[in-house]
Amino acid sequence: MPTFYVRHPAAGDAADHFRADEGLGAGRFQQILASNASLMVHANARRHLASHPGVRNWYFWDEPLTFGTLMLDAFGRCWDGALQVCLGTHYVHLWPDRPRLPTLHLAGRGWGPAGVPTEVTLIVCPGDLTPVDLAVSATTDLVVDGAAHDFDCTIRLQPAHLAPRPLAPSGGTTGTLPAEQGELQAFTAYVVGKCAGGKGSVTGCVGLSLYLEDPT
Amino acid sequence: MTEPHIPGRGLALSTTAARNRETVRAFHTMALAMAADAAALDNPPWRLLIEDAQGTDGAETMTWQARWPVSDTAGYLWLRWWRSQPRDRLLYGGLTIAVTLTVTDAVGTSVTVPSTQLPQGFSGETMRPGWVRSDHNLDAWWNASSSGCEGFLDVATLRSVGGLAGSDWTLTVSCTTSDSAVFLSRLEAWEVPGFATDQEVDHRGMPPGLFLADAPITDSNESGYQRLLATIGDARTLRPCYLDLAWPLTADAFRTPSLTAAGEGPFTLLDEPGVVTGVPFEVFPRQVLRPSAQGEPCRWRVLYKMTGGTKDGRIHVRTTSTSSPFSTAWLANTATWTWSPWIAGYLRTNNAGPTPPAARDTIKVTGEVSAADGTILWLGGVYFGGDQA
């Protein structure tokens, strides 16, 4: 796989190797084009999906972790208790030149009360579904010494984690027929957590960053 | 000529398939065109997520603003918002929520309500969340966030009919609620991958059929190698979106980051225990150039205002690039939400990382006021993205 972009004269430039009536050195120029196209198709597949400032001072009601009851606290508002963040619905493609889906990576910073088990879970649901229909999840235990530490959750996406999402985009309410249409494979990502310390625990799950990386 | 394009069909592309003194055959160039299209059209990078951690409270109007550097190859923007209701308020009747979207370009031209360019549900229509039976036994999350609106913005029509110019646009979202029992759960958006190539439209890929066997190759802006070169260039100049955060445009310390100290320090809501450099957002830099300590060129800007004093403010971004930190000039005191100028930055690409060749970096946002006289510097939004020329 190429590791950097090969600069060449821009299209239309006086030195453009590909301008009209210019003889082609087939091998060299084909190789430059193939190298750059291959690099860019991989580089652009490593896409950032979402960033979120995170949630502070969350606690947990339910033990053990049951996804159907975790999602809302007694007041039904995530910022009034439970760690519950939806990181949105996203599409993914098969990785270029590999019959594999990309790896989904959540990075953040977390803290919890010293000595109190505290964990963060990344949930993936097919299409627009909610966590009761989760397809896969990954949990990480936070380092709990009162200070903030990096944490990561990684999910190797599989076809069963996705659902088709047909799209026929047409701007606004103009009523014009879509000029193009197609189907993407999509999932929705959630971040939830629990802390055994209960209400009043000093917790944090901040600096959330969700992105795609090469299949592992 | 237009041809359908199926995103996600990237193919193995050999850099040695064509060699000097051997004939270049149609499948060589068609494969190149397909790879160039995949690189340029499959993953337009801009996206936005506004989540309910800073939701409305009571009967009020809340506004968010985010920067949208429109990707050259993006034809449409997908948008969706969800409303939410606390579980113990599901039986409330008479609740309303209305979401209004405005798109503005760099010189201030706007597409706002009323406009047929804006999708249904984004034009300030008053929506009434449905009643839910008390014995409804579906999952609480489903109950609480199961309705909203979805639609598209057509970039070409926003330009041709709406009069927007350039590619540095702003999305302004306002949400008006009748009661704290209903609020904006989340708003999300992403640029839609291209489902077609069109040789007659700039930045819309390279129809592979133009390289049919035995057909002459004609070079121009619309066909041949020049078009192929331009399509690969479009893929390179896409601007990866590493950070796009928007907070409610209000002077409320519980909802919007702020600081009051002279000397660089973290904003509230962007701080963490015992650390003075702010919360790091981990990113995975797109690597186009050779890996280096300075890294890939980026650019960023922030939305800010001041209250409570007369001092100026300054905002810094730190990465692990050897050129870091990156700072605004002193920003003149203003009580109006204002976007800073674009500031150049870099993301380092030779950090040790688990996924070579690209390594990870972090972005931290900090700030300061010129003197501590009670001036509060508020942060309403941050955009940090790639800027590969």
Side-chain angles (χ1 to χ4, degrees), chain B residues 53-86:
Chain B
Q54 311 90 18
T56 52
D57 188 12
E60 63 179 357
T61 296
M62 193 63 74
T63 301
W64 294 261
Q65 201 172 91
R67 216 70 202 186
W68 177 20
V70 185
S71 299
D72 286 341
T73 62
Y76 298 91
L77 184 75
W78 173 82
L79 289 152
R80 181 171 67 182
W81 63 265
W82 297 86
R83 60 92 183 164
S84 194
Q85 281 172 270

PDB file of all heavy atoms in Angstrom, chain B residues 53-86:
ATOM      1  N   ALA B  53     -26.995  16.400  25.844  1.00  0.00           N
ATOM      2  CA  ALA B  53     -26.395  16.714  27.139  1.00  0.00           C
ATOM      3  C   ALA B  53     -26.585  18.181  27.500  1.00  0.00           C
ATOM      4  O   ALA B  53     -26.442  18.557  28.648  1.00  0.00           O
ATOM      5  CB  ALA B  53     -24.908  16.375  27.124  1.00  0.00           C
ATOM      6  N   GLN B  54     -26.872  19.008  26.521  1.00  0.00           N
ATOM      7  CA  GLN B  54     -27.098  20.426  26.809  1.00  0.00           C
ATOM      8  C   GLN B  54     -28.505  20.818  26.379  1.00  0.00           C
ATOM      9  O   GLN B  54     -28.715  21.833  25.745  1.00  0.00           O
ATOM     10  CB  GLN B  54     -26.075  21.304  26.075  1.00  0.00           C
ATOM     11  CG  GLN B  54     -24.638  20.852  26.230  1.00  0.00           C
ATOM     12  CD  GLN B  54     -24.239  19.881  25.145  1.00  0.00           C
ATOM     13  OE1 GLN B  54     -24.879  19.786  24.115  1.00  0.00           O
ATOM     14  NE2 GLN B  54     -23.178  19.137  25.381  1.00  0.00           N
ATOM     15  N   GLY B  55     -29.481  19.995  26.689  1.00  0.00           N
ATOM     16  CA  GLY B  55     -30.832  20.188  26.156  1.00  0.00           C
ATOM     17  C   GLY B  55     -31.530  21.435  26.654  1.00  0.00           C
ATOM     18  O   GLY B  55     -31.087  22.106  27.583  1.00  0.00           O
ATOM     19  N   THR B  56     -32.640  21.743  26.016  1.00  0.00           N
ATOM     20  CA  THR B  56     -33.434  22.890  26.432  1.00  0.00           C
ATOM     21  C   THR B  56     -34.058  22.594  27.791  1.00  0.00           C
ATOM     22  O   THR B  56     -34.214  21.463  28.196  1.00  0.00           O
ATOM     23  CB  THR B  56     -34.540  23.164  25.408  1.00  0.00           C
ATOM     24  OG1 THR B  56     -35.249  21.955  25.177  1.00  0.00           O
ATOM     25  CG2 THR B  56     -33.955  23.676  24.122  1.00  0.00           C
ATOM     26  N   ASP B  57     -34.429  23.630  28.490  1.00  0.00           N
ATOM     27  CA  ASP B  57     -34.966  23.468  29.831  1.00  0.00           C
ATOM     28  C   ASP B  57     -36.140  24.422  29.988  1.00  0.00           C
ATOM     29  O   ASP B  57     -35.969  25.617  30.155  1.00  0.00           O
ATOM     30  CB  ASP B  57     -33.876  23.776  30.860  1.00  0.00           C
ATOM     31  CG  ASP B  57     -34.341  23.442  32.266  1.00  0.00           C
ATOM     32  OD1 ASP B  57     -35.375  22.780  32.401  1.00  0.00           O
ATOM     33  OD2 ASP B  57     -33.659  23.863  33.214  1.00  0.00           O
ATOM     34  N   GLY B  58     -37.331  23.876  29.919  1.00  0.00           N
ATOM     35  CA  GLY B  58     -38.509  24.712  30.026  1.00  0.00           C
ATOM     36  C   GLY B  58     -38.912  25.265  28.677  1.00  0.00           C
ATOM     37  O   GLY B  58     -38.456  24.810  27.633  1.00  0.00           O
ATOM     38  N   ALA B  59     -39.797  26.259  28.706  1.00  0.00           N
ATOM     39  CA  ALA B  59     -40.243  26.886  27.469  1.00  0.00           C
ATOM     40  C   ALA B  59     -39.180  27.890  27.049  1.00  0.00           C
ATOM     41  O   ALA B  59     -39.028  28.939  27.654  1.00  0.00           O
ATOM     42  CB  ALA B  59     -41.586  27.570  27.687  1.00  0.00           C
ATOM     43  N   GLU B  60     -38.427  27.562  26.048  1.00  0.00           N
ATOM     44  CA  GLU B  60     -37.338  28.449  25.652  1.00  0.00           C
ATOM     45  C   GLU B  60     -36.893  28.133  24.228  1.00  0.00           C
ATOM     46  O   GLU B  60     -37.272  27.110  23.658  1.00  0.00           O
ATOM     47  CB  GLU B  60     -36.155  28.311  26.598  1.00  0.00           C
ATOM     48  CG  GLU B  60     -35.531  26.934  26.584  1.00  0.00           C
ATOM     49  CD  GLU B  60     -34.342  26.833  27.525  1.00  0.00           C
ATOM     50  OE1 GLU B  60     -33.968  27.844  28.135  1.00  0.00           O
ATOM     51  OE2 GLU B  60     -33.790  25.739  27.641  1.00  0.00           O
ATOM     52  N   THR B  61     -36.082  29.013  23.703  1.00  0.00           N
ATOM     53  CA  THR B  61     -35.470  28.790  22.400  1.00  0.00           C
ATOM     54  C   THR B  61     -33.963  28.690  22.593  1.00  0.00           C
ATOM     55  O   THR B  61     -33.362  29.541  23.245  1.00  0.00           O
ATOM     56  CB  THR B  61     -35.797  29.939  21.436  1.00  0.00           C
ATOM     57  OG1 THR B  61     -37.205  29.960  21.216  1.00  0.00           O
ATOM     58  CG2 THR B  61     -35.087  29.740  20.100  1.00  0.00           C
ATOM     59  N   MET B  62     -33.386  27.638  22.064  1.00  0.00           N
ATOM     60  CA  MET B  62     -31.951  27.433  22.192  1.00  0.00           C
ATOM     61  C   MET B  62     -31.358  27.366  20.784  1.00  0.00           C
ATOM     62  O   MET B  62     -31.964  26.796  19.874  1.00  0.00           O
ATOM     63  CB  MET B  62     -31.680  26.128  22.947  1.00  0.00           C
ATOM     64  CG  MET B  62     -30.260  25.987  23.408  1.00  0.00           C
ATOM     65  SD  MET B  62     -29.799  27.251  24.599  1.00  0.00           S
ATOM     66  CE  MET B  62     -30.675  26.673  26.036  1.00  0.00           C
ATOM     67  N   THR B  63     -30.179  27.933  20.620  1.00  0.00           N
ATOM     68  CA  THR B  63     -29.557  27.985  19.299  1.00  0.00           C
ATOM     69  C   THR B  63     -28.158  27.393  19.349  1.00  0.00           C
ATOM     70  O   THR B  63     -27.425  27.582  20.317  1.00  0.00           O
ATOM     71  CB  THR B  63     -29.477  29.450  18.818  1.00  0.00           C
ATOM     72  OG1 THR B  63     -30.804  29.980  18.767  1.00  0.00           O
ATOM     73  CG2 THR B  63     -28.868  29.536  17.428  1.00  0.00           C
ATOM     74  N   TRP B  64     -27.822  26.642  18.304  1.00  0.00           N
ATOM     75  CA  TRP B  64     -26.481  26.103  18.136  1.00  0.00           C
ATOM     76  C   TRP B  64     -25.971  26.558  16.761  1.00  0.00           C
ATOM     77  O   TRP B  64     -26.764  26.819  15.850  1.00  0.00           O
ATOM     78  CB  TRP B  64     -26.486  24.570  18.134  1.00  0.00           C
ATOM     79  CG  TRP B  64     -26.880  23.902  19.412  1.00  0.00           C
ATOM     80  CD1 TRP B  64     -26.048  23.381  20.352  1.00  0.00           C
ATOM     81  CD2 TRP B  64     -28.215  23.636  19.888  1.00  0.00           C
ATOM     82  NE1 TRP B  64     -26.785  22.813  21.384  1.00  0.00           N
ATOM     83  CE2 TRP B  64     -28.102  22.959  21.120  1.00  0.00           C
ATOM     84  CE3 TRP B  64     -29.491  23.923  19.403  1.00  0.00           C
ATOM     85  CZ2 TRP B  64     -29.198  22.546  21.863  1.00  0.00           C
ATOM     86  CZ3 TRP B  64     -30.597  23.518  20.140  1.00  0.00           C
ATOM     87  CH2 TRP B  64     -30.445  22.845  21.356  1.00  0.00           C
ATOM     88  N   GLN B  65     -24.660  26.623  16.622  1.00  0.00           N
ATOM     89  CA  GLN B  65     -24.099  26.999  15.327  1.00  0.00           C
ATOM     90  C   GLN B  65     -22.853  26.156  15.063  1.00  0.00           C
ATOM     91  O   GLN B  65     -22.042  25.949  15.972  1.00  0.00           O
ATOM     92  CB  GLN B  65     -23.733  28.480  15.336  1.00  0.00           C
ATOM     93  CG  GLN B  65     -23.629  29.075  13.944  1.00  0.00           C
ATOM     94  CD  GLN B  65     -23.468  30.601  13.994  1.00  0.00           C
ATOM     95  OE1 GLN B  65     -22.361  31.097  14.026  1.00  0.00           O
ATOM     96  NE2 GLN B  65     -24.569  31.326  13.999  1.00  0.00           N
ATOM     97  N   ALA B  66     -22.729  25.668  13.848  1.00  0.00           N
ATOM     98  CA  ALA B  66     -21.575  24.831  13.500  1.00  0.00           C
ATOM     99  C   ALA B  66     -21.061  25.211  12.123  1.00  0.00           C
ATOM    100  O   ALA B  66     -21.825  25.639  11.256  1.00  0.00           O
ATOM    101  CB  ALA B  66     -21.948  23.351  13.520  1.00  0.00           C
ATOM    102  N   ARG B  67     -19.765  25.037  11.955  1.00  0.00           N
ATOM    103  CA  ARG B  67     -19.134  25.353  10.684  1.00  0.00           C
ATOM    104  C   ARG B  67     -19.282  24.168   9.744  1.00  0.00           C
ATOM    105  O   ARG B  67     -19.076  23.016  10.155  1.00  0.00           O
ATOM    106  CB  ARG B  67     -17.644  25.629  10.927  1.00  0.00           C
ATOM    107  CG  ARG B  67     -17.073  26.690  10.060  1.00  0.00           C
ATOM    108  CD  ARG B  67     -17.598  28.063  10.424  1.00  0.00           C
ATOM    109  NE  ARG B  67     -17.444  28.962   9.290  1.00  0.00           N
ATOM    110  CZ  ARG B  67     -17.714  30.248   9.347  1.00  0.00           C
ATOM    111  NH1 ARG B  67     -18.159  30.803  10.448  1.00  0.00           N
ATOM    112  NH2 ARG B  67     -17.555  31.016   8.271  1.00  0.00           N
ATOM    113  N   TRP B  68     -19.620  24.411   8.495  1.00  0.00           N
ATOM    114  CA  TRP B  68     -19.736  23.350   7.492  1.00  0.00           C
ATOM    115  C   TRP B  68     -18.819  23.686   6.317  1.00  0.00           C
ATOM    116  O   TRP B  68     -19.236  24.394   5.406  1.00  0.00           O
ATOM    117  CB  TRP B  68     -21.186  23.207   7.026  1.00  0.00           C
ATOM    118  CG  TRP B  68     -21.386  22.181   5.947  1.00  0.00           C
ATOM    119  CD1 TRP B  68     -20.573  21.148   5.614  1.00  0.00           C
ATOM    120  CD2 TRP B  68     -22.511  22.101   5.054  1.00  0.00           C
ATOM    121  NE1 TRP B  68     -21.104  20.420   4.580  1.00  0.00           N
ATOM    122  CE2 TRP B  68     -22.286  20.981   4.214  1.00  0.00           C
ATOM    123  CE3 TRP B  68     -23.673  22.854   4.894  1.00  0.00           C
ATOM    124  CZ2 TRP B  68     -23.199  20.620   3.220  1.00  0.00           C
ATOM    125  CZ3 TRP B  68     -24.576  22.492   3.904  1.00  0.00           C
ATOM    126  CH2 TRP B  68     -24.337  21.378   3.081  1.00  0.00           C
ATOM    127  N   PRO B  69     -17.574  23.197   6.331  1.00  0.00           N
ATOM    128  CA  PRO B  69     -16.717  23.372   5.153  1.00  0.00           C
ATOM    129  C   PRO B  69     -17.158  22.364   4.099  1.00  0.00           C
ATOM    130  O   PRO B  69     -16.817  21.188   4.178  1.00  0.00           O
ATOM    131  CB  PRO B  69     -15.313  23.057   5.675  1.00  0.00           C
ATOM    132  CG  PRO B  69     -15.453  22.886   7.155  1.00  0.00           C
ATOM    133  CD  PRO B  69     -16.868  22.511   7.399  1.00  0.00           C
ATOM    134  N   VAL B  70     -17.923  22.810   3.146  1.00  0.00           N
ATOM    135  CA  VAL B  70     -18.584  21.897   2.215  1.00  0.00           C
ATOM    136  C   VAL B  70     -17.551  21.163   1.364  1.00  0.00           C
ATOM    137  O   VAL B  70     -16.703  21.788   0.722  1.00  0.00           O
ATOM    138  CB  VAL B  70     -19.553  22.670   1.297  1.00  0.00           C
ATOM    139  CG1 VAL B  70     -20.325  21.719   0.404  1.00  0.00           C
ATOM    140  CG2 VAL B  70     -20.494  23.526   2.125  1.00  0.00           C
ATOM    141  N   SER B  71     -17.606  19.854   1.368  1.00  0.00           N
ATOM    142  CA  SER B  71     -16.680  19.076   0.546  1.00  0.00           C
ATOM    143  C   SER B  71     -17.011  19.269  -0.925  1.00  0.00           C
ATOM    144  O   SER B  71     -18.192  19.272  -1.315  1.00  0.00           O
ATOM    145  CB  SER B  71     -16.779  17.590   0.907  1.00  0.00           C
ATOM    146  OG  SER B  71     -16.442  17.392   2.259  1.00  0.00           O
ATOM    147  N   ASP B  72     -15.971  19.413  -1.746  1.00  0.00           N
ATOM    148  CA  ASP B  72     -16.196  19.636  -3.177  1.00  0.00           C
ATOM    149  C   ASP B  72     -17.035  18.523  -3.795  1.00  0.00           C
ATOM    150  O   ASP B  72     -17.831  18.762  -4.706  1.00  0.00           O
ATOM    151  CB  ASP B  72     -14.847  19.713  -3.903  1.00  0.00           C
ATOM    152  CG  ASP B  72     -14.134  21.018  -3.633  1.00  0.00           C
ATOM    153  OD1 ASP B  72     -14.795  21.993  -3.210  1.00  0.00           O
ATOM    154  OD2 ASP B  72     -12.902  21.062  -3.826  1.00  0.00           O
ATOM    155  N   THR B  73     -16.845  17.307  -3.323  1.00  0.00           N
ATOM    156  CA  THR B  73     -17.510  16.171  -3.972  1.00  0.00           C
ATOM    157  C   THR B  73     -18.857  15.841  -3.338  1.00  0.00           C
ATOM    158  O   THR B  73     -19.501  14.891  -3.759  1.00  0.00           O
ATOM    159  CB  THR B  73     -16.614  14.924  -3.910  1.00  0.00           C
ATOM    160  OG1 THR B  73     -16.398  14.570  -2.538  1.00  0.00           O
ATOM    161  CG2 THR B  73     -15.281  15.158  -4.593  1.00  0.00           C
ATOM    162  N   ALA B  74     -19.266  16.588  -2.320  1.00  0.00           N
ATOM    163  CA  ALA B  74     -20.538  16.287  -1.659  1.00  0.00           C
ATOM    164  C   ALA B  74     -21.691  16.905  -2.435  1.00  0.00           C
ATOM    165  O   ALA B  74     -21.712  18.100  -2.702  1.00  0.00           O
ATOM    166  CB  ALA B  74     -20.529  16.799  -0.228  1.00  0.00           C
ATOM    167  N   GLY B  75     -22.670  16.088  -2.797  1.00  0.00           N
ATOM    168  CA  GLY B  75     -23.844  16.602  -3.485  1.00  0.00           C
ATOM    169  C   GLY B  75     -24.972  16.945  -2.526  1.00  0.00           C
ATOM    170  O   GLY B  75     -25.759  17.852  -2.767  1.00  0.00           O
ATOM    171  N   TYR B  76     -25.058  16.194  -1.429  1.00  0.00           N
ATOM    172  CA  TYR B  76     -26.174  16.362  -0.496  1.00  0.00           C
ATOM    173  C   TYR B  76     -25.678  16.259   0.940  1.00  0.00           C
ATOM    174  O   TYR B  76     -24.679  15.591   1.230  1.00  0.00           O
ATOM    175  CB  TYR B  76     -27.240  15.280  -0.711  1.00  0.00           C
ATOM    176  CG  TYR B  76     -27.865  15.320  -2.084  1.00  0.00           C
ATOM    177  CD1 TYR B  76     -27.327  14.572  -3.139  1.00  0.00           C
ATOM    178  CD2 TYR B  76     -28.984  16.110  -2.342  1.00  0.00           C
ATOM    179  CE1 TYR B  76     -27.896  14.616  -4.403  1.00  0.00           C
ATOM    180  CE2 TYR B  76     -29.553  16.153  -3.606  1.00  0.00           C
ATOM    181  CZ  TYR B  76     -29.002  15.407  -4.629  1.00  0.00           C
ATOM    182  OH  TYR B  76     -29.566  15.456  -5.877  1.00  0.00           O
ATOM    183  N   LEU B  77     -26.403  16.901   1.829  1.00  0.00           N
ATOM    184  CA  LEU B  77     -26.184  16.742   3.268  1.00  0.00           C
ATOM    185  C   LEU B  77     -27.410  16.073   3.860  1.00  0.00           C
ATOM    186  O   LEU B  77     -28.541  16.529   3.651  1.00  0.00           O
ATOM    187  CB  LEU B  77     -25.972  18.100   3.940  1.00  0.00           C
ATOM    188  CG  LEU B  77     -25.647  18.012   5.434  1.00  0.00           C
ATOM    189  CD1 LEU B  77     -24.208  17.558   5.638  1.00  0.00           C
ATOM    190  CD2 LEU B  77     -25.872  19.361   6.128  1.00  0.00           C
ATOM    191  N   TRP B  78     -27.203  14.963   4.549  1.00  0.00           N
ATOM    192  CA  TRP B  78     -28.295  14.289   5.268  1.00  0.00           C
ATOM    193  C   TRP B  78     -28.412  14.886   6.646  1.00  0.00           C
ATOM    194  O   TRP B  78     -27.405  15.110   7.327  1.00  0.00           O
ATOM    195  CB  TRP B  78     -27.992  12.794   5.361  1.00  0.00           C
ATOM    196  CG  TRP B  78     -28.955  12.015   6.226  1.00  0.00           C
ATOM    197  CD1 TRP B  78     -30.177  11.545   5.862  1.00  0.00           C
ATOM    198  CD2 TRP B  78     -28.752  11.591   7.581  1.00  0.00           C
ATOM    199  NE1 TRP B  78     -30.741  10.867   6.910  1.00  0.00           N
ATOM    200  CE2 TRP B  78     -29.900  10.884   7.980  1.00  0.00           C
ATOM    201  CE3 TRP B  78     -27.716  11.758   8.497  1.00  0.00           C
ATOM    202  CZ2 TRP B  78     -30.038  10.327   9.251  1.00  0.00           C
ATOM    203  CZ3 TRP B  78     -27.848  11.214   9.771  1.00  0.00           C
ATOM    204  CH2 TRP B  78     -29.000  10.500  10.131  1.00  0.00           C
ATOM    205  N   LEU B  79     -29.646  15.169   7.081  1.00  0.00           N
ATOM    206  CA  LEU B  79     -29.896  15.795   8.377  1.00  0.00           C
ATOM    207  C   LEU B  79     -31.002  15.039   9.090  1.00  0.00           C
ATOM    208  O   LEU B  79     -31.972  14.589   8.460  1.00  0.00           O
ATOM    209  CB  LEU B  79     -30.402  17.231   8.180  1.00  0.00           C
ATOM    210  CG  LEU B  79     -29.468  18.313   7.692  1.00  0.00           C
ATOM    211  CD1 LEU B  79     -30.289  19.353   6.944  1.00  0.00           C
ATOM    212  CD2 LEU B  79     -28.780  18.950   8.861  1.00  0.00           C
ATOM    213  N   ARG B  80     -30.876  14.937  10.408  1.00  0.00           N
ATOM    214  CA  ARG B  80     -31.977  14.350  11.175  1.00  0.00           C
ATOM    215  C   ARG B  80     -31.946  14.914  12.590  1.00  0.00           C
ATOM    216  O   ARG B  80     -30.881  15.106  13.159  1.00  0.00           O
ATOM    217  CB  ARG B  80     -31.859  12.828  11.243  1.00  0.00           C
ATOM    218  CG  ARG B  80     -33.011  12.177  12.010  1.00  0.00           C
ATOM    219  CD  ARG B  80     -32.997  10.685  11.870  1.00  0.00           C
ATOM    220  NE  ARG B  80     -31.836  10.104  12.514  1.00  0.00           N
ATOM    221  CZ  ARG B  80     -31.558   8.794  12.499  1.00  0.00           C
ATOM    222  NH1 ARG B  80     -32.339   7.968  11.845  1.00  0.00           N
ATOM    223  NH2 ARG B  80     -30.501   8.329  13.112  1.00  0.00           N
ATOM    224  N   TRP B  81     -33.116  15.182  13.129  1.00  0.00           N
ATOM    225  CA  TRP B  81     -33.177  15.496  14.558  1.00  0.00           C
ATOM    226  C   TRP B  81     -34.206  14.599  15.215  1.00  0.00           C
ATOM    227  O   TRP B  81     -35.158  14.146  14.581  1.00  0.00           O
ATOM    228  CB  TRP B  81     -33.461  16.972  14.828  1.00  0.00           C
ATOM    229  CG  TRP B  81     -34.773  17.538  14.360  1.00  0.00           C
ATOM    230  CD1 TRP B  81     -34.998  18.186  13.177  1.00  0.00           C
ATOM    231  CD2 TRP B  81     -36.029  17.526  15.059  1.00  0.00           C
ATOM    232  NE1 TRP B  81     -36.309  18.563  13.090  1.00  0.00           N
ATOM    233  CE2 TRP B  81     -36.961  18.181  14.226  1.00  0.00           C
ATOM    234  CE3 TRP B  81     -36.455  17.034  16.283  1.00  0.00           C
ATOM    235  CZ2 TRP B  81     -38.303  18.354  14.595  1.00  0.00           C
ATOM    236  CZ3 TRP B  81     -37.782  17.202  16.660  1.00  0.00           C
ATOM    237  CH2 TRP B  81     -38.688  17.861  15.818  1.00  0.00           C
ATOM    238  N   TRP B  82     -33.963  14.338  16.484  1.00  0.00           N
ATOM    239  CA  TRP B  82     -34.886  13.546  17.291  1.00  0.00           C
ATOM    240  C   TRP B  82     -35.335  14.413  18.456  1.00  0.00           C
ATOM    241  O   TRP B  82     -34.534  15.115  19.057  1.00  0.00           O
ATOM    242  CB  TRP B  82     -34.192  12.316  17.885  1.00  0.00           C
ATOM    243  CG  TRP B  82     -33.668  11.316  16.907  1.00  0.00           C
ATOM    244  CD1 TRP B  82     -32.452  11.335  16.295  1.00  0.00           C
ATOM    245  CD2 TRP B  82     -34.315  10.130  16.463  1.00  0.00           C
ATOM    246  NE1 TRP B  82     -32.316  10.237  15.496  1.00  0.00           N
ATOM    247  CE2 TRP B  82     -33.445   9.477  15.582  1.00  0.00           C
ATOM    248  CE3 TRP B  82     -35.555   9.565  16.734  1.00  0.00           C
ATOM    249  CZ2 TRP B  82     -33.764   8.281  14.955  1.00  0.00           C
ATOM    250  CZ3 TRP B  82     -35.874   8.375  16.115  1.00  0.00           C
ATOM    251  CH2 TRP B  82     -34.994   7.742  15.229  1.00  0.00           C
ATOM    252  N   ARG B  83     -36.581  14.293  18.817  1.00  0.00           N
ATOM    253  CA  ARG B  83     -37.025  14.930  20.050  1.00  0.00           C
ATOM    254  C   ARG B  83     -37.053  13.853  21.137  1.00  0.00           C
ATOM    255  O   ARG B  83     -37.086  12.648  20.854  1.00  0.00           O
ATOM    256  CB  ARG B  83     -38.389  15.582  19.873  1.00  0.00           C
ATOM    257  CG  ARG B  83     -39.516  14.630  19.483  1.00  0.00           C
ATOM    258  CD  ARG B  83     -40.253  14.098  20.674  1.00  0.00           C
ATOM    259  NE  ARG B  83     -41.288  13.142  20.258  1.00  0.00           N
ATOM    260  CZ  ARG B  83     -41.880  12.305  21.097  1.00  0.00           C
ATOM    261  NH1 ARG B  83     -41.530  12.267  22.347  1.00  0.00           N
ATOM    262  NH2 ARG B  83     -42.806  11.486  20.676  1.00  0.00           N
ATOM    263  N   SER B  84     -37.096  14.303  22.379  1.00  0.00           N
ATOM    264  CA  SER B  84     -37.118  13.357  23.474  1.00  0.00           C
ATOM    265  C   SER B  84     -38.045  13.856  24.551  1.00  0.00           C
ATOM    266  O   SER B  84     -38.270  15.054  24.704  1.00  0.00           O
ATOM    267  CB  SER B  84     -35.708  13.171  24.035  1.00  0.00           C
ATOM    268  OG  SER B  84     -35.672  12.044  24.870  1.00  0.00           O
ATOM    269  N   GLN B  85     -38.600  12.915  25.288  1.00  0.00           N
ATOM    270  CA  GLN B  85     -39.454  13.242  26.418  1.00  0.00           C
ATOM    271  C   GLN B  85     -39.035  12.394  27.595  1.00  0.00           C
ATOM    272  O   GLN B  85     -38.835  11.189  27.453  1.00  0.00           O
ATOM    273  CB  GLN B  85     -40.923  12.907  26.107  1.00  0.00           C
ATOM    274  CG  GLN B  85     -41.637  13.923  25.256  1.00  0.00           C
ATOM    275  CD  GLN B  85     -42.992  13.396  24.865  1.00  0.00           C
ATOM    276  OE1 GLN B  85     -43.132  12.745  23.853  1.00  0.00           O
ATOM    277  NE2 GLN B  85     -43.982  13.666  25.697  1.00  0.00           N
ATOM    278  N   PRO B  86     -38.905  12.967  28.782  1.00  0.00           N
ATOM    279  CA  PRO B  86     -38.639  12.142  29.945  1.00  0.00           C
ATOM    280  C   PRO B  86     -39.742  11.107  30.135  1.00  0.00           C
ATOM    281  O   PRO B  86     -40.901  11.358  29.837  1.00  0.00           O
ATOM    282  CB  PRO B  86     -38.631  13.155  31.089  1.00  0.00           C
ATOM    283  CG  PRO B  86     -38.362  14.451  30.448  1.00  0.00           C
ATOM    284  CD  PRO B  86     -38.997  14.382  29.096  1.00  0.00           C
TER     285      PRO B  86
END
